[in-house]
Amino acid sequence: MELVIVAGGLGTRLRPLTFHRPKALVPLLNRPQVLHLLDGLPDAVDRVIVAVNYGYEAVRDFFRSADVGRETVVVKEPEPLGTGGALKNVEGHVRGTFAAFNGDVIDAIDLEAFLRFHRRHGRIGSLGVWPVPDPAGFGVVELDGERIRRFVEKPPKGQAPSDLVNAGRYIFEPEVFHFIESGREVSLEREVFPRLVVEGLAAYRYEGYWSDAGTLTTYLVAQAVLLDSGRGGIAGDSDTARASIADPVLVGSACLVEGAVGPHVVLGDGCRIGRATVAESALFDHVSVDDKAEIRSSLVGAGAAIGEGARVVDSIIGDGVQVPPHARLADARMKG
Ligand code: GDD
Ligand code: MG
């Protein structure tokens, strides 16, 4: 069976980190985000098809050198075709019933159990669904038992028909391709699902964890969820003897950490954290943070430097950016 990963979005909501890297390769717990989707795939999946547009070369080169344990085909869209168009564009690579995943979501779905559910229902498609407190920014389903009665993408605030959202996890029969026009941009969620509801779509609820990771807020939730599921740790060659660590944290290789770090902090390789405070944040490789600086709920790109006494909150700092001493950044996007 094929698994198609739609991973071609521009990643605008993670800019400036996505100016120089495709969203699929943005590190999450120090691994390209897309790799988290490939953890624990059943043997039934013998081929992974990655549908990309923006950053095609980088994704192709990554999969050429990474051994992910199964055949991987990276397919380029000539131009962004939307989530539906991206599927249509890989039709020639699909041989039968197939799975499709949004590339920017992490979860603990058991694809084998999902497949059993799909076969039992015998519909053209099954959608994984997940309850969230505020469904407005998602696709929302209205159910009749396990059948989807209505699908609404990004309903206006207060008008969501339920709190169950489209988890970005699908199993389809190849007939789904008849419902997607070729050669133009098609949104699976806005155009195709409303039509497929009439044919019959089943909603699959599952357990464990789920989070979108495509915005600053959801990225940090995804990171926290993964750390809480036991994926933290401190690399043996990193020095945290003088640090005060609040678990869970993940500290990469060759870091020197002196300050208060955690909870829910990820440090890439070669980071140097002075007597500073870092909480609920991810710092990519080779970031330095000077004494008395404070970083909260933020992402800091590779090689960036945070000056003494600077305060960075709810912000995304681009690769290589130097934040001056005593700067005050809140809800900022800073590129070099
Ligand atoms: N190949 C390709 N081409 N991929 C695309 C394109 C495109 O033109 N546009 C978007 N994608 C990929 C994105 O990279 C992402 O992995 C996935 O398709 C979903 O697109 P997003 O832009 O991230 O959509 P969203 O987060 O606003 O909403 C989607 O995900 C929610 C769950 O996180 C929808 O599927 C919602 O219904 C869903 O609830
Ligand atoms: Mg998304």
Side-chain angles (χ1 to χ4, degrees):
M1 175 171 102
E2 286 83 19
L3 164 65
V4 180
I5 299 180
V6 282
L10 293 176
T12 49
R13 293 165 290 186
L14 286 179
R15 282 177 181 168
L17 297 171
T18 43
F19 277 130
H20 303 292
R21 55 168 89 70
K23 195 167 161 185
L25 300 184
V26 169
L28 178 64
L29 270 73
N30 293 339
R31 307 162 73 205
Q33 196 171 291
V34 67
L35 283 186
H36 291 275
L37 276 70
L38 305 181
D39 289 341
L41 284 184
D43 291 343
V45 175
D46 49 14
R47 256 176 2 134
V48 175
I49 296 154
V50 188
V52 280
N53 163 254
Y54 175 69
Y56 162 73
E57 283 79 11
V59 176
R60 178 200 60 197
D61 293 351
F62 171 76
F63 278 105
R64 267 187 192 156
S65 55
D67 179 12
V68 297
R70 38 177 63 74
E71 189 189 343
T72 309
V73 190
V74 181
V75 179
K76 181 178 183 175
E77 281 157 54
E79 51 205 86
L81 291 171
T83 45
L87 284 189
K88 185 73 175 175
N89 194 50
V90 303
E91 181 174 3
H93 295 272
V94 170
R95 292 171 289 206
T97 306
F98 67 102
F101 283 7
N102 281 359
D104 63 346
V105 162
I106 60 103
D107 69 356
I109 198 164
D110 175 345
L111 190 49
E112 227 149 33
F114 189 15
L115 193 57
R116 282 196 298 275
F117 170 92
H118 175 74
R119 296 230 155 97
R120 183 158 56 78
H121 278 266
R123 305 281 191 176
I124 191 168
S126 301
L127 271 61
V129 295
W130 191 266
V132 299
D134 178 12
F138 298 98
V140 187
V141 296
E142 183 182 311
L143 296 186
D144 174 6
E146 288 182 322
R147 193 182 69 85
I148 298 179
R149 195 179 359 212
R150 197 153 69 95
F151 184 98
V152 199
E153 182 67 9
K154 312 229 163 75
K157 264 221 171 317
Q159 290 181 34
S162 79
D163 66 347
L164 281 177
V165 304
N166 169 21
R169 298 295 186 249
Y170 317 119
I171 297 180
F172 293 122
E173 294 305 312
E175 286 71 36
V176 73
F177 292 119
H178 301 164
F179 292 81
I180 313 175
E181 238 180 85
S182 58
R184 69 164 176 96
E185 192 176 333
V186 179
S187 160
L188 201 55
E189 298 86 348
R190 292 181 194 278
E191 296 181 62
V192 182
F193 288 160
R195 293 175 60 202
L196 285 185
V197 160
V198 183
E199 296 292 309
L201 285 179
Y204 175 65
R205 299 188 200 212
Y206 55 104
E207 313 245 290
Y209 56 81
W210 178 89
S211 179
D212 180 277
T215 69
L216 172 60
T217 310
T218 62
Y219 177 102
L220 293 173
V221 172
Q223 170 175 291
V225 153
L226 289 170
L227 288 172
D228 287 339
S229 74
R231 288 170 168 80
I234 296 175
D237 63 349
S238 282
D239 181 352
T240 57
R242 276 162 294 171
S244 147
I245 303 276
D247 283 323
V249 299
L250 176 68
V251 177
S253 184
C255 293
L256 174 59
V257 186
E258 295 182 309
V261 170
H264 302 131
V265 166
V266 172
L267 304 181
D269 294 341
C271 288
R272 312 193 82 74
I273 314 295
R275 279 165 289 162
T277 302
V278 185
E280 304 290 340
S281 296
L283 281 49
F284 296 175
D285 292 343
H286 304 290
V287 169
S288 70
V289 181
D290 290 344
D291 291 348
K292 297 185 192 137
E294 186 182 338
I295 303 175
R296 293 186 189 276
S297 306
S298 295
L299 296 181
V300 182
I306 312 295
E308 184 174 327
R311 186 161 194 271
V312 177
V313 181
D314 299 325
S315 295
I316 307 182
I317 308 299
D319 301 306
V321 168
Q322 314 256 337
V323 173
H326 308 290
R328 290 280 174 272
L329 296 179
D331 209 2
R333 304 289 180 268
M334 196 168 167
K335 72 181 172 82

